[in-house]
Amino acid sequence: MINKMLKQLFTVLFIIFTSTVFSQKLIDNQDDLDQILKNIDQFSGYVMAGDYRKIGEAYTEDAKIFPERQDIIEGRDAIIKYWTRPAGIKTSYHKIIPSEIKVVNNEAYDYGYYEGKTKRANGSESFWKGKYVIVWKRVNQEWKIYLDIWSALK
């Protein structure tokens, strides 16, 4: 009888303890997810504004990007150079649509779809969309893009 009561007590305490621990983990995780989602929205804003310095600051110093049909581009300065558009070309629309974001300690991964519109000096526009994967790193309590790979869907 005492063994049964002790087992029941242990079970109840275990459930209370684990639910408290896991709920706290979810709260911390939600803060990270909210920050990454905010960074995603800001990144699109920087692209549309042509703010290449801010685009560069969204990446870690040792970041790498993997543009479609190109070599890997390494480092913040090279990444800024990649994102810098020629005169007369503007990204008038840019949206990143995450399918999943998973935070694991000081790293996270994010994958989903992107879409946008480019406007040329002659007034013509092209619409594009694709899929992506991003690996994030926490740097001084901020989430930064470490690896960024994408490819077009059409």
Side-chain angles (χ1 to χ4, degrees):
M1 179 80 163
I2 293 179
N3 278 343
K4 184 176 181 181
M5 289 175 59
L6 285 174
K7 284 182 184 179
Q8 288 175 338
L9 177 62
F10 177 74
T11 302
V12 169
L13 289 174
F14 179 77
I15 290 169
I16 291 170
F17 174 76
T18 56
S19 66
T20 303
V21 169
F22 288 125
S23 67
Q24 182 63 41
K25 181 71 172 162
L26 290 175
I27 291 169
D28 291 344
N29 202 3
Q30 188 61 50
D31 291 342
D32 292 330
L33 294 174
D34 290 344
Q35 182 61 56
I36 290 170
L37 288 167
K38 179 181 173 188
N39 291 357
I40 289 169
D41 287 341
Q42 286 178 332
F43 187 86
S44 288
Y46 302 150
V47 171
M48 290 184 290
D51 191 339
Y52 306 118
R53 183 182 60 80
K54 286 287 196 183
I55 290 171
E57 290 173 0
Y59 290 91
T60 63
E61 287 287 340
D62 60 343
K64 288 118 183 111
I65 64 173
F66 302 74
E68 189 171 15
R69 294 186 292 274
Q70 293 186 36
D71 289 335
I72 298 169
I73 298 172
E74 299 184 45
R76 190 176 280 165
D77 291 338
I79 290 169
I80 290 170
K81 184 177 177 184
Y82 169 83
W83 281 104
T84 302
R85 299 290 162 239
I89 296 180
K90 178 173 176 36
T91 302
S92 58
Y93 171 67
H94 188 273
K95 182 159 179 76
I96 299 169
I97 307 139
S99 295
E100 180 177 297
I101 301 172
K102 177 79 172 175
V103 177
V104 181
N105 298 321
N106 289 321
E107 294 182 342
Y109 67 80
D110 159 27
Y111 70 87
Y113 296 93
Y114 64 88
E115 59 187 29
K117 190 185 321 181
T118 301
K119 187 171 186 174
R120 293 175 192 80
N122 66 7
S124 66
E125 293 183 322
S126 61
F127 181 79
W128 34 268
K129 60 183 179 177
K131 55 192 178 290
Y132 75 91
V133 175
I134 292 175
V135 175
W136 298 85
K137 276 189 178 179
R138 190 188 324 257
V139 178
N140 299 324
Q141 302 306 313
E142 290 184 66
W143 287 102
K144 303 270 186 185
I145 301 169
Y146 173 60
L147 302 174
D148 189 3
I149 184 169
W150 62 90
S151 65
L153 289 175
K154 64 176 190 170

